[in-house]
């Protein structure tokens, strides 16, 4: 998990995350990490179109961004 967050921070690339929100709702987020701290990190969230703070303990999974492959004719 930390490796992907650090890669997003260093290379400014999006990652996808399954996150348990404060209201106990599970959300799928596409983010770019801006800052990493001990228990939380700041990231640009494409779902909310804004910078957000995320608790590391609420991350259920992190994965590289899935890219849709386009078929060539």
């Amino acid at each position: 998990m930390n490796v992907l967050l650090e890669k997003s921070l260093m290379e400014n690339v999006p990652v996808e995350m399954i996150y348990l929100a404060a209201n106990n709702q599970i959300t799928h987020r596409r983010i770019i990490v801006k800052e990493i701290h001990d228990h939380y990190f700041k990231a640009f969230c494409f779902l909310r179109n804004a910078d957000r703070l995320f608790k590391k303990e609420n991350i259920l999974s992190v994965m590289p961004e899935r890219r849709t492959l386009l078929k060539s004719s």
Side-chain angles (χ1 to χ4, degrees):
M1 172 184 76
N2 286 330
V3 172
L4 287 173
L5 295 177
E6 289 174 12
K7 180 177 179 174
S8 176
L9 174 66
M10 301 304 273
E11 299 178 14
N12 201 38
V13 295
V15 292
E16 295 187 30
M17 171 176 73
I18 306 297
Y19 188 76
L20 181 62
N23 62 1
N24 288 328
Q25 184 176 8
I26 296 173
T27 60
H28 177 254
R29 311 276 183 127
R30 186 169 159 254
I31 61 168
I32 296 177
V33 178
K34 302 295 183 186
E35 298 174 14
I36 298 177
H37 301 276
D38 288 339
H39 301 290
Y40 68 95
F41 63 95
K42 180 179 179 180
F44 179 81
C45 175
F46 289 89
L47 179 65
R48 302 290 184 226
N49 202 28
D51 285 346
R52 309 286 289 210
L53 290 178
F54 297 97
K55 293 180 182 178
K56 287 183 180 179
E57 66 186 27
N58 288 358
I59 297 173
L60 302 177
S61 74
V62 177
M63 62 205 104
E65 180 184 33
R66 291 180 293 170
R67 296 182 185 237
T68 305
L69 298 176
L70 300 176
K71 285 187 170 183
S72 58
S73 314

